[in-house]
Amino acid sequence: MEEGDCMDVRYLPAGDEALVIEFGKTIDEEINNSVISMAASIRNRKIKGVREILPTYRSLMVFYNPKKISYVRLVSTVKSLGYKDKDEAESKRTLIVPCCYDDSFGPDLSDMSTELGLSREEIVKIHSAEKYKIYMMGFLPGFVYLGGLDKRINIPRLKTPRTKIPARSVGIGGAQTGVYPVDSPGGWRLIGSTPLDFYDIKREHPILCEAGEYIRFKPIFRDEYDDIRREIELGNYKNEYEEAVSMTGR
């Protein structure tokens, strides 16, 4: 999509070493597709002076070295790229994330069942039926903010956050679901745990996923969870993926 199309794109300075590109004011898949596409365009162009690219729900922050490229030159270069180039619309794989919804991993499922008027089994079925897009990464290394949660299982965060949530916990907070990559305080409702490490400093690529990719949760039993953990610790586990999907609707 080029400047002048229906989407209101804004280019804004963020201090003297960053450019923010805003693609809209709402959380929307089409807007986020444009964010991801622009990030890919900038990354592939290898613009001299660009140090880091950070996509969010509706904007893209580009960190740069002002000694190597000026703000004006960077904006001009970025505008020339556009963000609807078919060559940039890469197919995105879907990572299958095994998830155990056992009581020991999902302490909030019972309360959610009462509040939502759904059985535990229905909550698990609804949660694992969706293909979730990773809209952005944060607030912890490897933390995925996922779009596409079914409205039937939207539920507010806990009134009193927990001081420690175990790594790999799967939770729901409002209209979002995600995985805690490391031990952390948090207020999301815990419904399960995955044996996969979304962040592992010992790996060549510590962060498991990237913004713009997709994941799907696959229910597993506790013994399967333990088996996968053992395989991961031995270095024998191979991640499972669904066929790639194209980024469409932009």
Side-chain angles (χ1 to χ4, degrees), residues 181 197-208 232:
D197 293 310
F198 273 62
Y199 177 74
D200 183 355
I201 193 63
K202 299 186 297 295
R203 287 196 303 247
E204 180 181 359
H205 302 288
I207 295 176
L208 181 62
I232 289 173

Side-chain angles (χ1 to χ4, degrees), residues 161-176:
R162 292 180 170 92
T163 57
K164 182 179 179 181
I165 292 177
R168 300 186 297 276
S169 293
V170 177
I172 291 177
Q176 300 177 106

Side-chain angles (χ1 to χ4, degrees), residues 12-20 51 61-66 71 74:
L12 306 168
D16 57 0
E17 295 186 7
L19 160 68
V20 173
R51 298 188 290 106
M61 179 170 278
V62 183
F63 296 92
Y64 66 96
N65 183 340
Y71 174 80
L74 177 60

